[in-house]
Amino acid sequence: MAAAWEFHLPLSPADLLRDGGPGRYVVQEVLPARELPPALTAFRTAFRARGALAVLQHFDPLYSLLHHFQAVGTDVKEDALELMMRVVSHHSNELPAILGDSGLSHTDRTAHLNALKMNCYLLTGLVDAFEMETCKSGLLENKKSRTKTSGSLWEEEREPLLRLLTQLLQLDLHKLWGGSVVEEEFVSLMTGSCYRVLENSSIGLQKYRATREAVTHLLATALVHYDHMFSATLKIAQMLQHFEHVAPVFAQAVSLWATEYGLKSLVGELLREIGQKCPQDLTRDASGIKGYATFITELAEQIPALVLANMSVLLRHLDGESYMMRNAILVAMAEALVHVLNGDQLEEAARGTRDQFLNMLQAHVCDINGFVRSRVLQLFTRIVQCKALPLTQFQSVVSLAVGRLRDKSVVVAKNAIQLLAAFLSNNPFSSKLSCTDLAEPLKKEVQKLQEMRDRDRSTAAPVITPEEEWEAMLPEVRAATQQLFQPQQEGEEEVLEVEETAESTSEQITRLLRKLNYKSAARLTQKALCRFQGKEPFSGPTEENEEATILGVLKRLYTGSCPGENSEDPPHGNSSHKTKEVVPEEQSQTELVKQEMLVQYLQDAYNFSVKITEALSLISKMMYENCVSVVQEAIEFFVTVSKFGVPQAVVGVRRMLPLVWSREAGIKEAVLNAYRRLYLSPSGDSERARAQGLVHSLSLIMVDASLGTIQCLEEIISEFVQKDEIKPAVIQLLWERFTEKSQCSSLERRAAVMLLGMMARGKPEIIGSNLDVLVTVGLSEKVCEDYRLAQEVCNAIAKLAGKPKPALGNNNTPFRLPQNHMLFGCLSKTVSKGFDQPSGHWIPFMEAAVMLIYQLAEGAEEICAHILQVCSQQALEKLQEADGQKADPGVSPSRVSGGASSLPTFLLTHLVSLVGQVALQQVAHLEVSVSAELRRRRILREEEKTKKRSDSSMRQKRLRSTGNETTMEEELGLVGATADDTEAELIRNICEKEILDGKHLFSAFVPLVLKICNNPGLYSDSALSAAAALTLGKLCMISSEFCDSHLRLLFTMMEKSTLPGVRSNLIIAAGDLAIRFPNLVEPWTSHLYARLRDPCPSVRQTAGLVMTHLILKDMVKVKGQVSEMAALLIDPEEAIMGVAQNFFSELSNKGNAIYNLLPDIISRLSDPNCGVEEESFHIIMRHLFSYITKDKQTESLVEKLCQRFRTARTERQYRDLSHCLTLLPLSERGLQKLQDNFDCFADKLQDPAVYSCFQTVLARFRRAGGKPENKTLAEELEQKLSASHNRGLDSAETCQEGSRTPVPGPAKQKPTGGSRRQPLSTANRDDDFVTPQPRTFRNQKRAQKRPPPKKAVITFSSDEENSSEDELSAELTEEETPTKTTPITRSSARRLR
């Protein structure tokens, strides 16, 4: 058939509808959609008859199908797709024979070429149409429609279709074009379908793996056979820019093409195309950046060698703004370092590239972007794990990692910890990295190296022979000699004289030569030649001239004077000596090199250990970060460090203990796992050996451990015991240590009892089944030798008591032992026996014993009363012995106060402490145990009544006439509530009226305690004063009436006492009283806050802890005085600083508490009279503002701070307020607030510091990015700031005059200075202690009639014992007692009316 036209592939489908010129195919008619099914049938029939050439007459119907694709039914589309695949497949099978026919006519070739282009155009058109439809249907997955079915069919047919196109392209199609190059439009048509398929966002899913492979092979065929390289490079770069999901697909495809198809040049072309992109343009195209970065990253992981070869074209992006591109290039470098530039056999060029890459990576550890810093640390972690980091780079990278621990980004800090852990796990130095253990061998080997060097230097032959030295010196010596024959200069004197003998003259000349004084040596030689003619060494052959003679003598003298060189020695002897020394010299050099390598290795190991030790202190602080993952990494790090024997790791292991109480389940589990790995998996061959290892490790933790550490360890061990993770062999070993069946020290024995007590919390039967052993061994006759062991025995037995407050609904009888149990007999005997013995550990044991008696004994008050009577009787006997009187058994204990001064101080201290402990435990016993028992019995009675009622008949229930109200009360729970109030009132009456009345035992000791407290001059012993103060606080816990009458004394002592122990004890007592009697203590709150400025660190720490508990429990109103707590954030004591940080951290969890307090804190701390320095103020504010995270809070604070500029009086306050603004993360609305309140601070911008702060605020806002209109607003604000700043001196003077408003000065000026406010002096004047004034008067008239109170006069006693009783009184007068303010509502502590 003669074809009168040629089919040209159109740029767009519409081109086929327009006449493109003579000889070009044009679509004659676009059929309507309803006529397409018959047309397809006709084409199918023609195909059966003529094969693939049928399309030459039936192209228009199929073109019409593509034109109406959206309107055509699914069946028609699927039929068309199936038909075209059959046509192309048939044509593909026919073409090899046709192309191989050498006699193919031009007409047939043209016909097959047109048919091929038409069939491929239609098939690829269907591919594009189906892909577009699939993408749209993917957005409507839940909608069941025929489109989805069509899409599903297309997904099944897509892969076979791509394989069909690949098969077609693999044919030698060039012959259809007459042997010339296949037209580019045809190749683009075939490959365009591949790119269209890849645009589908779901192509990356695993189920489409076969489709991706088909696309890869089709494109590979086009690249290999059809010169598609240039087009592919542009298309891939374009798609990477617009479609993020194709980056991994293309990375895998390019890797395959480079390795299997030999298309390595494509990698270079693609990377060059990406490298030529302008970094500034990429910054504006986030999608493109991500695609390029992912592609580079994935490609580097798969073919690092090829990427390395083209790395130079990418390096320009390392200086660009896009952090994703920087990350990608750094990843490529790391992959090259791991896979290519790794090993000791690298060539010099490769080694240089490796070092260059490592230097670049290290430089970006300090990148401006946190994501880059984090990524580089991750890359170094991988490099270290793959052992690809040279030893020479270890120290520098470790130092960088330690520095990043302080990074403000938690992700960076987390990755820094991971890197250090990787360094530890993969370090080439040692399995033990203790600085102490490494320092000694290093010192020893350095000394050995020095000795080897000295020995080698003394035995080694000189490198330069004397003859060689003379030849080097000869020009200068000749010049100096020639000067001898020139006229002497004026002023030049002759100072050298010839010695007496030729030998001494020779030595003198040699010394001059060695000092390089050639002229003097030559002149002296000239004189010697005249004086010592014929004598050696001045004799010899006479030279032609005098100059040559002098030079000859000098040469003989110089070369003959060197050690080891003797002109008289025979030559053969020297040669023989050298031959013998060759081998030892080589050996010594080899040993020296080995020793130098050993010293370098030990030095590197030591330096590495020092850096790890430095990191420990930083990471231990990070365990209390807010980020859970950082905390987990820190815990994991300390587990790793512990395995390498670093001694300081124990500090971190202890520091993680409190995290077992964390609310985050992940952190608690991390701590448990850490201790499980550290202690529950000890090494050992037998069960016994492993138990010994575990017990030994746990005992080490408890050496010098604080009470808090022990409580945390108890929580962990009880968890292990409940899960049966501690073997019975461990418990057996602990019992053996306690009973001394196994040899151990007293410390280990005490640790064994503590561990048994901890385990008993998880399983009380561990103690319960061996109670008799604990009592007989731990509380035996030898108890006086070790009261601390007896104290731990009491603590362990106390675990049998369980929880002090039973759970609701638990009406079981509490565990109690009978009053005559041997335990209480032993305790009474032991306490009484040790009462009159001076021991520093008796009081803690006594407190534990009394607490145990009240927890476990029936009739505990009788046992303790007996102990009190016995001990007071002993005190009386001691008193009578001292006075020389006979003991009178009828003497009342009250007589102790009459002659207390005659008693030994320790005995009085013991007695006062015993009274206080029994009093406190009695109150606790009534409030907790007795109250709970009353409630339990009442509930049991009510249950019995309810049971009886249920057994009564229904008739009786109906006839009840007065039961409605009772039923209603029962339903509302009023019966139980009323009963609870009745029981509480009963307990309260006992405390208020009975315990301290004259009939009770305690009343006999109250005067003694008061006398000691009132007379610090007479009773000056610090231990006695502290014990009495604590006992006074405990007695105040009993009765509100007693507390009210003695609060003046308590707070006077807290304020005036010179003993830190007294002040600390009274702060603790006041904290407990604030919870028990809040209304009484509330007027004295300011005195509690004042202790936060105490000069003694221990008192400040105690005050900080007490105020933390009171404020967080809402027992103290948080007023402006909370700035005293903020001032502790800069305390020089780290522990106190930690208390303050913990307080604000917990306070931040209570809603908007910190936000509400910030304005007052800022006002107080920026006040020039408060004494907080400016730098300290910045530190405090930086910490407090870190808790402001909500946008609304930020906006509101911006407005409040701006308004504060109006009331600020000093330049210091201006600077402080402006600094606070820099600490806020300013949002768009925050910037608007700043603009709205510009007038508030405009006149303050003349101050350079204030102006600089506002500049910082704007710079930070710009870095955060935002909308264009916000940037415009920022620019406007900056212009206003600049204009106000540059107004000039006239405006500044005007502003100053305008701000000179008379401001009332503070009532009392406080000295400023120091990093912290001035501490309260313990030697205050008497008028400094002012009784708190009432805020509100309930009876205003009565208050007006009362005469004004006198100023408080407090007189402390002198040390004179003969002072009168009135002079020794330290109490305030009755009128000075603070009146009660508005009560704090508390349901658990009601006052009696």
Side-chain angles (χ1 to χ4, degrees):
M1 176 194 121
W5 46 264
E6 184 181 353
F7 184 79
H8 287 267
L9 291 169
L11 294 177
S12 66
D15 290 347
L16 288 174
L17 299 176
R18 294 189 290 268
D19 187 359
R24 299 188 63 157
Y25 182 81
V26 179
V27 174
Q28 302 298 321
E29 180 185 7
V30 178
L31 301 179
R34 63 178 180 277
E35 297 180 11
L36 290 177
L40 282 178
T41 304
F43 177 55
R44 187 179 289 109
T45 304
F47 168 64
R48 292 195 190 104
R50 297 190 53 200
L53 297 179
V55 74
L56 298 174
Q57 283 79 33
H58 294 272
F59 178 82
D60 291 4
L62 290 163
Y63 177 85
S64 303
L65 174 68
L66 293 176
H67 188 78
H68 298 297
F69 193 82
Q70 298 295 331
V72 176
T74 305
D75 295 338
V76 178
K77 298 175 188 176
E78 293 174 358
D79 289 345
L81 178 64
E82 182 183 359
L83 178 58
M84 287 310 304
M85 286 181 66
R86 286 173 57 194
V87 170
V88 174
S89 177
H90 179 75
H91 202 186
S92 175
N93 294 331
E94 283 183 344
L95 277 175
I98 297 170
L99 296 173
D101 185 4
S102 58
L104 185 66
S105 65
H106 176 73
T107 305
D108 291 342
R109 182 178 63 78
T110 305
H112 280 286
L113 178 59
N114 287 334
L116 177 66
K117 291 198 286 188
M118 283 182 165
N119 287 328
C120 289
Y121 174 80
L122 293 172
L123 186 58
T124 55
L126 287 171
V127 170
D128 294 348
F130 272 109
E131 277 299 321
M132 291 181 65
E133 190 176 59
T134 304
C135 290
K136 290 181 181 178
S137 64
L139 302 174
L140 303 170
E141 287 182 357
N142 298 327
K143 184 178 179 181
K144 295 182 179 179
S145 63
R146 298 184 67 187
T147 306
K148 185 180 178 184
T149 306
S150 171
S152 301
L153 176 67
W154 164 241
E155 290 176 1
E156 296 174 5
E157 296 291 340
R158 184 163 50 191
E159 183 198 344
L161 190 151
L162 292 169
R163 283 205 302 268
L164 174 60
L165 294 178
T166 305
Q167 178 186 344
L168 184 64
L169 283 180
Q170 287 173 344
L171 300 177
D172 188 10
L173 298 179
H174 299 80
K175 294 182 179 179
L176 284 180
W177 275 265
S180 61
V181 178
V182 176
E183 62 180 283
E184 188 177 347
E185 289 80 2
F186 179 78
V187 179
S188 300
L189 179 73
M190 303 294 279
T191 56
S193 300
C194 298
Y195 299 129
R196 170 64 73 180
V197 169
L198 292 178
E199 288 178 7
N200 191 338
S201 59
S202 61
I203 195 66
L205 299 178
Q206 181 63 27
K207 63 179 180 178
Y208 298 132
R209 180 180 177 182
T211 304
R212 294 197 300 272
E213 291 177 353
V215 169
T216 302
H217 290 299
L218 195 156
L219 290 174
T221 304
L223 287 165
V224 173
H225 298 293
Y226 296 95
D227 196 20
H228 185 56
M229 180 82 71
F230 179 73
S231 301
T233 303
L234 295 178
K235 186 63 178 178
I236 292 173
Q238 183 183 10
M239 290 188 69
L240 287 173
Q241 186 174 358
H242 295 95
F243 303 98
E244 294 180 13
H245 67 275
V246 300
V249 179
F250 275 130
Q252 188 175 6
V254 172
S255 172
L256 182 70
W257 297 336
T259 53
E260 294 190 10
Y261 291 91
L263 298 168
K264 296 181 180 180
S265 60
L266 179 62
V267 178
E269 292 295 330
L270 280 170
L271 294 180
R272 191 172 294 107
E273 183 68 26
I274 295 173
Q276 290 173 353
K277 299 288 184 183
C278 179
Q280 286 74 22
D281 293 342
L282 284 179
T283 306
R284 295 188 288 269
D285 183 11
S287 175
I289 290 176
K290 191 171 183 180
Y292 292 144
T294 307
F295 176 73
I296 294 171
T297 303
E298 300 263 352
L299 198 63
E301 292 173 356
Q302 296 177 35
I303 45 173
L306 291 176
V307 175
L308 173 62
N310 297 277
M311 184 67 73
S312 58
V313 301
L314 297 173
L315 292 180
R316 62 180 299 209
H317 288 291
L318 273 181
D319 300 324
E321 294 184 15
S322 170
Y323 76 90
M324 286 187 283
M325 286 298 288
R326 295 203 297 277
N327 272 346
I329 296 166
L330 294 170
V331 168
M333 289 182 180
E335 293 298 328
L337 288 169
V338 170
H339 296 291
V340 185
L341 302 174
N342 190 4
D344 299 328
Q345 309 301 323
L346 293 177
E347 297 178 357
E348 192 64 31
R351 192 176 291 111
T353 304
R354 179 196 67 188
D355 294 342
Q356 185 182 4
F357 282 3
L358 286 170
N359 291 336
M360 288 182 180
L361 283 168
Q362 291 183 45
H364 284 277
V365 169
C366 301
D367 194 281
I368 191 172
N369 190 282
F371 291 110
V372 179
R373 299 196 298 272
S374 173
R375 188 65 169 140
V376 174
L377 292 171
Q378 290 175 357
L379 295 175
F380 269 121
T381 302
R382 182 155 186 267
I383 291 170
V384 171
Q385 289 171 343
C386 295
K387 295 181 171 51
L389 185 68
L391 196 58
T392 54
Q393 302 270 0
F394 250 63
Q395 194 66 19
S396 59
V397 179
V398 170
S399 300
L400 286 171
V402 173
R404 287 302 96 201
L405 292 174
R406 301 184 180 90
D407 201 289
K408 61 182 180 181
S409 169
V410 292
V411 182
V412 177
K414 171 187 168 184
N415 285 298
I417 297 174
Q418 289 178 343
L419 175 55
L420 289 170
F423 267 117
L424 270 173
S425 302
N426 298 276
N427 84 86
F429 303 117
S430 171
S431 59
K432 298 297 179 185
L433 290 170
S434 168
C435 292
T436 309
D437 296 342
L438 290 170
E440 190 63 31
L442 175 62
K443 184 179 179 182
K444 183 178 177 182
E445 296 299 333
V446 168
Q447 186 176 357
K448 183 179 177 181
L449 175 64
Q450 189 62 40
E451 291 174 357
M452 291 177 67
R453 284 176 174 168
D454 293 342
R455 186 168 61 249
D456 191 62
R457 192 178 296 114
S458 63
T459 59
V463 179
I464 302 175
T465 62
E467 287 79 6
E468 292 173 339
E469 289 185 5
W470 174 256
E471 292 298 328
M473 294 162 51
L474 186 57
E476 295 182 25
V477 176
R478 181 177 284 114
T481 306
Q482 289 172 356
Q483 291 180 10
L484 297 176
F485 306 105
Q486 296 175 0
Q488 192 171 357
Q489 299 290 333
E490 291 184 5
E492 190 177 352
E493 299 179 0
E494 192 69 34
V495 294
L496 291 171
E497 295 295 338
V498 179
E499 298 286 341
E500 295 294 331
T501 63
E503 290 78 6
S504 57
T505 304
S506 301
E507 292 176 1
Q508 186 181 9
I509 293 170
T510 304
R511 285 197 299 271
L512 290 170
L513 286 173
R514 294 200 178 282
K515 291 179 181 178
L516 308 182
N517 194 347
Y518 304 137
K519 186 174 181 181
S520 298
R523 180 171 287 117
L524 195 59
T525 304
Q526 185 183 31
K527 290 182 178 181
L529 284 170
C530 296
R531 181 170 179 177
F532 302 110
Q533 291 181 2
K535 293 182 180 181
E536 290 293 338
F538 302 104
S539 65
T542 306
E543 302 294 339
E544 297 177 359
N545 55 24
E546 189 179 0
E547 180 185 347
T549 304
I550 293 172
L551 289 174
V553 173
L554 289 173
K555 180 179 181 180
R556 287 198 302 273
L557 288 174
Y558 186 79
T559 57
S561 66
C562 291
E565 291 290 335
N566 195 339
S567 60
E568 297 177 0
D569 289 345
H572 62 82
N574 192 24
S575 175
S576 171
H577 177 69
K578 286 185 179 180
T579 305
K580 293 178 182 178
E581 291 293 333
V582 167
V583 176
E585 185 179 343
E586 290 180 356
Q587 289 179 351
S588 67
Q589 286 296 323
T590 305
E591 291 175 1
L592 185 64
V593 171
K594 288 182 178 178
Q595 187 66 20
E596 287 175 344
M597 292 175 66
L598 176 60
V599 169
Q600 186 61 46
Y601 171 81
L602 289 173
Q603 185 66 53
D604 289 342
Y606 178 76
N607 293 340
F608 180 70
S609 177
V610 168
K611 278 297 177 184
I612 292 297
T613 305
E614 179 187 344
L616 289 177
S617 60
L618 295 173
I619 297 177
S620 65
K621 296 174 183 177
M622 296 170 65
M623 283 195 287
Y624 292 88
E625 293 281 348
N626 294 328
C627 181
V628 176
S629 60
V630 171
V631 176
Q632 290 173 329
E633 287 297 335
I635 292 171
E636 181 65 26
F637 177 78
F638 275 102
V639 174
T640 305
V641 172
S642 300
K643 293 179 179 178
F644 283 89
V646 180
Q648 292 80 0
V650 179
V651 178
V653 172
R654 281 189 181 180
R655 191 176 174 85
M656 74 172 72
L657 273 170
L659 293 172
V660 76
W661 309 104
S662 174
R663 298 188 185 96
E664 294 287 345
I667 294 178
K668 180 176 180 180
E669 191 59 35
V671 175
L672 291 174
N673 284 333
Y675 274 81
R676 191 176 285 116
R677 289 162 57 188
L678 288 172
Y679 298 105
L680 294 191
S681 304
S683 58
D685 299 331
S686 62
E687 190 77 23
R688 176 81 175 180
R690 287 192 289 272
Q692 287 177 336
L694 190 151
V695 171
H696 178 70
S697 300
L698 290 177
S699 300
L700 283 178
I701 296 185
M702 290 188 289
V703 175
D704 298 330
S706 64
L707 181 60
T709 299
I710 292 172
Q711 288 177 340
C712 298
L713 192 60
E714 180 178 330
E715 175 72 13
I716 291 175
I717 291 179
S718 64
E719 286 270 351
F720 291 158
V721 170
Q722 289 172 5
K723 296 176 181 177
D724 293 324
E725 294 184 51
I726 293 182
K727 306 297 181 186
V730 177
I731 301 173
Q732 179 65 30
L733 179 61
L734 291 173
W735 280 115
E736 289 178 8
R737 284 194 172 193
F738 170 64
T739 56
E740 295 184 300
K741 291 181 181 179
S742 177
Q743 193 67 28
C744 63
S745 65
S746 59
L747 282 174
E748 290 174 332
R749 191 181 180 202
R750 198 181 311 140
V753 180
M754 295 169 69
L755 287 170
L756 286 170
M758 294 174 183
M759 294 176 184
R761 185 178 160 200
K763 287 185 178 179
E765 57 269 20
I766 293 175
I767 294 293
S769 59
N770 295 281
L771 181 60
D772 294 343
V773 177
L774 271 174
V775 174
T776 53
V777 177
L779 301 174
S780 62
E781 297 293 331
K782 298 180 181 180
V783 70
C784 297
E785 299 174 5
D786 191 356
Y787 278 117
R788 286 183 289 181
L789 177 65
Q791 178 188 351
E792 296 304 333
V793 168
C794 293
N795 293 335
I797 298 174
K799 298 298 188 296
L800 295 174
K803 296 180 180 179
K805 291 186 178 181
L808 292 175
N810 182 13
N811 296 324
N812 298 328
T813 306
F815 177 77
R816 291 273 171 177
L817 294 174
Q819 190 172 341
N820 58 356
H821 193 275
M822 63 179 293
L823 168 64
F824 308 119
C826 288
L827 287 174
S828 300
K829 184 178 178 182
T830 306
V831 171
S832 304
K833 185 178 178 181
F835 175 76
D836 59 351
Q837 302 297 324
S839 172
H841 302 294
W842 181 85
I843 292 178
F845 160 68
M846 174 272 297
E847 291 176 346
V850 171
M851 186 183 297
L852 180 60
I853 292 171
Y854 272 101
Q855 284 178 337
L856 289 182
E858 295 282 0
E861 59 276 1
E862 297 179 11
I863 299 173
C864 290
H866 173 70
I867 293 174
L868 261 177
Q869 289 172 347
V870 172
C871 292
S872 59
Q873 188 66 35
Q874 290 183 31
L876 281 174
E877 290 173 359
K878 290 285 184 181
L879 181 64
Q880 291 169 355
E881 287 176 9
D883 295 339
Q885 298 176 356
K886 293 183 179 180
D888 184 7
V891 176
S892 169
S894 62
R895 285 182 55 191
V896 174
S897 62
S901 59
S902 302
L903 281 175
T905 305
F906 80 88
L907 202 65
L908 198 54
T909 304
H910 284 186
L911 182 61
V912 171
S913 299
L914 178 61
V915 171
Q917 181 66 4
V918 174
L920 182 64
Q921 293 303 319
Q922 181 66 35
V923 174
H925 178 65
L926 289 170
E927 292 281 357
V928 179
S929 302
V930 175
S931 179
E933 182 63 15
L934 289 173
R935 183 177 182 279
R936 187 185 71 81
R937 294 181 180 181
R938 171 174 55 80
I939 291 174
L940 288 175
R941 289 196 302 270
E942 291 175 357
E943 288 177 353
E944 289 179 3
K945 290 180 181 180
T946 305
K947 189 175 181 181
K948 289 179 181 179
R949 287 177 184 174
S950 63
D951 294 337
S952 62
S953 63
M954 294 296 296
R955 183 169 175 274
Q956 290 176 340
K957 290 182 181 179
R958 290 196 187 99
L959 292 176
R960 279 189 310 175
S961 58
T962 60
N964 292 335
E965 294 179 4
T966 305
T967 304
M968 183 63 69
E969 287 181 357
E970 289 176 353
E971 288 177 356
L972 294 174
L974 296 178
V975 174
T978 305
D980 284 340
D981 287 344
T982 304
E983 292 162 3
E985 195 67 27
L986 173 64
I987 300 295
R988 196 168 292 109
N989 280 330
I990 295 174
C991 293
E992 293 285 345
K993 298 179 180 178
E994 297 182 16
I995 295 182
L996 290 177
D997 67 355
K999 299 177 183 179
H1000 201 278
L1001 190 61
F1002 287 128
S1003 62
F1005 299 98
V1006 171
L1008 171 64
V1009 175
L1010 292 177
K1011 183 172 183 179
I1012 296 172
C1013 293
N1014 275 310
N1015 299 279
L1018 284 178
Y1019 304 96
S1020 57
D1021 184 76
S1022 59
L1024 175 60
S1025 300
L1030 195 57
T1031 300
L1032 175 63
K1034 291 176 178 179
L1035 291 172
C1036 288
M1037 292 287 289
I1038 298 175
S1039 162
S1040 61
E1041 183 179 349
F1042 183 85
C1043 176
D1044 194 15
S1045 59
H1046 294 91
L1047 267 182
R1048 290 176 293 121
L1049 172 61
L1050 189 143
F1051 278 97
T1052 301
M1053 293 172 65
M1054 184 194 300
E1055 189 87 8
K1056 295 289 185 179
S1057 176
T1058 58
L1059 300 173
V1062 173
R1063 300 201 298 275
S1064 292
N1065 283 352
L1066 289 174
I1067 289 169
I1068 296 171
D1072 291 339
L1073 290 172
I1075 294 176
R1076 183 159 173 80
F1077 305 120
N1079 297 332
L1080 298 180
V1081 179
E1082 199 272 340
W1084 299 88
T1085 304
S1086 59
H1087 294 273
L1088 284 174
Y1089 277 111
R1091 288 303 94 211
L1092 295 171
R1093 289 184 282 123
D1094 195 277
C1096 178
S1098 63
V1099 179
R1100 289 202 305 276
Q1101 183 173 358
T1102 304
L1105 289 169
V1106 170
M1107 295 309 298
T1108 296
H1109 286 294
L1110 292 179
I1111 292 172
L1112 294 179
K1113 290 180 179 180
D1114 296 326
M1115 300 312 301
V1116 168
K1117 292 180 180 178
V1118 185
K1119 308 170 186 176
Q1121 289 169 320
V1122 78
S1123 60
E1124 304 283 359
M1125 287 294 290
L1128 295 185
L1129 289 169
I1130 54 167
D1131 197 278
E1133 296 293 327
E1134 188 174 350
I1136 300 175
M1137 199 187 309
V1139 169
Q1141 290 172 350
N1142 180 64
F1143 166 74
F1144 284 107
S1145 176
E1146 294 295 327
L1147 189 64
S1148 66
N1149 298 325
K1150 297 172 71 70
N1152 298 327
I1154 292 182
Y1155 161 76
N1156 294 331
L1157 292 170
L1158 258 178
D1160 287 339
I1161 293 176
I1162 293 171
S1163 294
R1164 285 176 177 264
L1165 294 184
S1166 64
D1167 191 325
N1169 299 321
C1170 76
V1172 175
E1173 290 183 350
E1174 197 163 354
E1175 184 61 32
S1176 302
F1177 177 85
H1178 292 175
I1179 297 172
I1180 296 172
M1181 289 301 116
R1182 196 178 305 124
H1183 184 87
L1184 294 181
F1185 273 85
S1186 66
Y1187 298 108
I1188 304 299
T1189 55
K1190 299 177 182 177
D1191 289 342
K1192 288 187 177 179
Q1193 292 180 350
T1194 302
E1195 296 161 15
S1196 179
L1197 273 176
V1198 168
E1199 188 169 14
K1200 289 181 178 180
L1201 290 172
C1202 290
Q1203 296 293 336
R1204 294 259 169 168
F1205 276 100
R1206 294 185 183 277
T1207 57
R1209 304 188 305 273
T1210 64
E1211 292 183 0
R1212 160 72 192 279
Q1213 290 174 326
Y1214 305 156
R1215 294 195 298 271
D1216 287 345
L1217 288 171
S1218 57
H1219 176 77
C1220 290
L1221 284 172
T1222 65
L1223 300 175
L1224 288 168
L1226 213 60
S1227 62
E1228 301 164 3
R1229 296 176 65 179
L1231 188 70
Q1232 186 63 53
K1233 292 282 185 185
L1234 211 60
Q1235 177 83 304
D1236 296 343
N1237 293 276
F1238 182 80
D1239 293 340
C1240 299
F1241 55 83
D1243 57 332
K1244 316 297 189 298
L1245 291 171
Q1246 303 159 49
D1247 190 319
V1250 176
Y1251 178 68
S1252 175
C1253 288
F1254 280 97
Q1255 290 290 96
T1256 304
V1257 170
L1258 287 178
R1260 185 173 298 171
F1261 178 79
R1262 288 196 193 92
R1263 283 200 302 270
K1267 300 176 182 177
E1269 54 268 25
N1270 294 326
K1271 292 182 179 180
T1272 305
L1273 181 64
E1275 290 173 0
E1276 292 177 2
L1277 183 58
E1278 184 176 19
Q1279 292 174 359
K1280 293 173 69 175
L1281 290 172
S1282 179
S1284 298
H1285 178 62
N1286 297 324
R1287 277 180 186 170
L1289 294 174
D1290 295 339
S1291 178
E1293 291 172 2
T1294 305
C1295 291
Q1296 288 177 0
E1297 290 174 3
S1299 62
R1300 287 174 187 167
T1301 308
V1303 179
K1308 184 177 179 181
Q1309 296 289 336
K1310 296 183 182 179
T1312 61
S1315 62
R1316 186 174 51 79
R1317 272 182 279 189
Q1318 294 291 334
L1320 289 176
S1321 173
T1322 55
N1324 295 336
R1325 299 190 311 276
D1326 292 336
D1327 58 352
D1328 287 343
F1329 183 71
V1330 182
T1331 305
Q1333 293 300 320
R1335 294 176 185 79
T1336 57
F1337 290 97
R1338 293 188 179 182
N1339 301 319
Q1340 189 70 28
K1341 294 181 179 180
R1342 189 171 63 184
Q1344 291 174 355
K1345 292 178 182 178
R1346 185 181 301 165
K1350 299 178 181 179
K1351 182 177 291 187
V1353 179
I1354 307 164
T1355 306
F1356 273 58
S1357 68
S1358 65
D1359 292 335
E1360 299 176 3
E1361 296 187 2
N1362 57 357
S1363 300
S1364 65
E1365 192 74 17
D1366 294 334
E1367 290 175 348
L1368 295 176
S1369 176
E1371 291 191 22
L1372 299 177
T1373 58
E1374 191 68 31
E1375 294 82 6
E1376 294 160 0
T1377 306
T1379 56
K1380 302 174 183 58
T1381 62
T1382 306
I1384 301 174
T1385 305
R1386 190 169 68 93
S1387 60
S1388 59
R1390 299 183 179 87
R1391 294 191 60 223
L1392 291 172
R1393 298 294 183 188

